[in-house]
Amino acid sequence: MNKLLTLTIASEIFLLLPFLLIFFTNRKTKKNILLLLFLIIGGAPLLYLAIDDLNSNYIDANIGLGLAFMFTWIYSVIALIIAIIIVVRKKRKNNSSKD
């Protein structure tokens, strides 16, 4: 398998994990639609540029593809931090309501 394809799939899975965590923590449908929109915003640039790079054999370095990877990784880390905060708050709220 191509190294670019493997890295793209791994990056998209890393992007998907925080959104799945938030999705399973949250049961509101309106927020789930918003989560889907944020997931598309985070993953679309990388998918587009990776497919473009696989279809076109560029001789020079593809700076846009590198920026798309960086954007996706930073977006994934921010989403993961937000997901952890949401899960911790929800857990504390559930623990305090049981007392």
Side-chain angles (χ1 to χ4, degrees), residues 61-79:
N62 192 348
I63 303 295
L65 182 62
L67 289 174
F69 271 109
M70 289 299 290
F71 170 76
T72 303
W73 295 335
I74 292 170
Y75 197 86
S76 299
V77 168
I78 291 170

Side-chain angles (χ1 to χ4, degrees), residues 10-19 38-39 42-44 72 75-76 79:
S11 296
E12 293 294 333
I13 289 172
F14 183 64
L15 174 66
L16 186 62
L17 289 176
F19 287 98
F38 284 140
L39 179 63
T72 303
Y75 197 86
S76 299

